[in-house]
Amino acid sequence: MRNAYIKFRTAEDSLLGFEELIAHCSVSRLSNDVFCIPWRSLSVLDALQVAYTFANEDDLTNAQPIWKFAAAGAH
């Protein structure tokens, strides 16, 4: 699996996590507050102790892309 589908636990975690992620990788947001990030980028969130959960099947059912942000130099 190349990508992780996550949901942030709180608005504060979402803000901190998103700000850090956009500096390091591509981030896609889907409906239902699901974010798609490279699996390796979970270490960035873990290092900052940003709380997240993995999206479940219900979260991903009928999820639609909302936007994508690619950091400069992100692969």
Side-chain angles (χ1 to χ4, degrees):
M1 179 185 293
R2 294 182 63 201
N3 294 322
Y5 294 86
I6 64 168
K7 294 180 85 168
F8 293 104
R9 290 198 182 255
T10 67
E12 293 81 15
D13 288 320
S14 180
L15 180 62
L16 176 61
F18 179 72
E19 286 180 352
E20 195 63 31
L21 287 170
I22 62 172
H24 294 93
C25 67
S26 284
V27 179
S28 296
R29 181 170 180 210
L30 309 176
S31 53
N32 300 333
D33 295 322
V34 174
F35 291 85
C36 176
I37 63 172
W39 192 262
R40 69 184 184 282
S41 297
L42 292 174
S43 62
V44 172
L45 300 177
D46 294 340
L48 293 171
Q49 298 182 345
V50 172
Y52 62 89
T53 61
F54 291 101
N56 61 38
E57 189 174 329
D58 289 338
D59 295 326
L60 296 173
T61 300
N62 300 319
Q64 299 295 316
I66 296 176
W67 52 257
K68 182 174 184 169
F69 184 89
H75 299 110

